[in-house]
Amino acid sequence: ELKVEQNPLFLSMQEGKNYTIYCNYSTTSDRLYWYRQDPGKSLESLFVLLSNGAVKQEGRLMASLDTKARLSTLHITAAVHDLSATYFCAVEETSGSRLTFGEGTQLTVNP
Amino acid sequence: GAGVSQSPRYKVAKRGQDVALRCDPISGHVSLFWYQQALGQGPEFLTYFQNEAQLDKSGLPSDRFFAERPEGSVSTLKIQRTQQEDSAVYLCASSLGKTGTRLNEKLFFGSGTQLSVL
């Protein structure tokens, strides 16, 4: 059974600071996704990582994937309040259909 | 609108009541998923349709849960004899792709139906 673990689960940081969210998973997969969810809203796709060594950047967020270590990171640079949300990583099973999500990291950026 | 639409947005049910949750996927999308998201947790897979065919229902937690997509577009998730543990947000997602292609690369989620069972 595929397991996906994120840490930290809760992150409170000041504006302007940098931090990294980690996503570990338990079985072989080379497809990993990051989503953002605002309270009461749906999931918004942030990054799609499809191979070992993949790195994607959008604004203050950068995601990477190491399939050998079964690890993905979401790095936040110079955080701003607008980044406050819950971030989920999700791993695609080898069957190519269902996603297995982590528990989510609730990020709060304080002024 | 062009997104995935779910209704109702909120549903309160008494324990033992049957409920039906509707999902209108993006027009033309072949793949449709249902996920269950408990409070403070990540979404968990329930079932997957490719057109009208239910290809995977292994995530449905019990035989009280039933999903259908008879014409390959709108889908309904039905929960019979609701229990308190069924309280969650039920998310629907659709994609143009299908198994064997990169269907999750362009997966669009609806806003969900929040079900509360009293």
Side-chain angles (χ1 to χ4, degrees):
Chain A
E1 180 188 348
L2 173 58
K3 293 190 184 300
V4 180
E5 293 184 349
Q6 287 183 236
N7 72 85
L9 299 183
F10 299 93
L11 176 57
S12 179
M13 55 191 299
Q14 286 187 312
E15 282 191 328
K17 298 294 187 182
N18 304 332
Y19 209 85
T20 300
I21 299 171
Y22 297 88
C23 174
N24 291 89
Y25 55 98
S26 62
T27 64
T28 301
S29 174
D30 58 1
R31 296 183 181 179
L32 190 139
Y33 306 81
W34 283 96
Y35 289 90
R36 168 181 173 145
Q37 188 175 41
D38 291 285
K41 300 294 178 67
S42 190
L43 293 162
E44 173 192 352
S45 178
L46 293 175
F47 299 108
V48 177
L49 304 170
L50 298 175
S51 62
N52 186 40
V55 177
K56 296 275 184 76
Q57 182 163 5
E58 180 74 32
R60 300 174 187 276
L61 300 178
M62 183 174 70
S64 66
L65 178 62
D66 181 343
T67 59
K68 294 180 181 178
R70 299 176 185 171
L71 171 69
S72 179
T73 61
L74 180 65
H75 187 72
I76 304 157
T77 301
V80 293
H81 180 69
D82 285 353
L83 289 180
S84 297
T86 299
Y87 293 84
F88 292 96
C89 63
V91 178
E92 184 176 304
E93 300 194 7
T94 52
S95 65
S97 54
R98 69 165 67 183
L99 295 176
T100 299
F101 286 80
E103 289 183 77
T105 297
Q106 187 176 319
L107 171 66
T108 303
V109 181
N110 302 303
Chain B
V4 178
S5 177
Q6 292 187 247
S7 61
R9 183 73 179 90
Y10 302 94
K11 176 68 179 177
V12 178
K14 292 183 179 179
R15 192 172 56 179
Q17 188 178 351
D18 297 350
V19 298
L21 313 179
R22 178 186 170 107
C23 172
D24 284 84
I26 294 172
S27 179
H29 275 199
V30 168
S31 293
L32 186 145
F33 295 83
W34 285 97
Y35 284 85
Q36 180 191 57
Q37 186 175 20
L39 186 64
Q41 301 293 316
E44 291 191 358
F45 171 83
L46 293 176
T47 188
Y48 165 60
F49 288 87
Q50 183 175 304
N51 295 307
E52 70 279 2
Q54 189 174 20
L55 297 188
D56 187 350
K57 57 180 181 179
S58 61
L60 296 175
S62 78
D63 58 7
R64 296 186 295 104
F65 286 71
F66 172 76
E68 60 183 5
R69 194 185 184 199
E71 296 178 0
S73 55
V74 171
S75 178
T76 303
L77 176 66
K78 298 179 179 177
I79 309 172
Q80 297 177 324
R81 304 181 303 281
T82 52
Q83 304 294 315
Q84 284 188 321
E85 61 262 28
D86 299 335
S87 296
V89 175
Y90 291 85
L91 295 169
C92 176
S94 73
S95 172
L96 191 58
K98 56 185 180 180
T99 303
T101 66
R102 294 180 167 177
L103 87 173
N104 285 309
E105 290 183 41
K106 293 288 185 182
L107 186 64
F108 296 88
F109 282 84
S111 296
T113 293
Q114 184 173 322
L115 173 64
S116 299
V117 181
L118 306 179

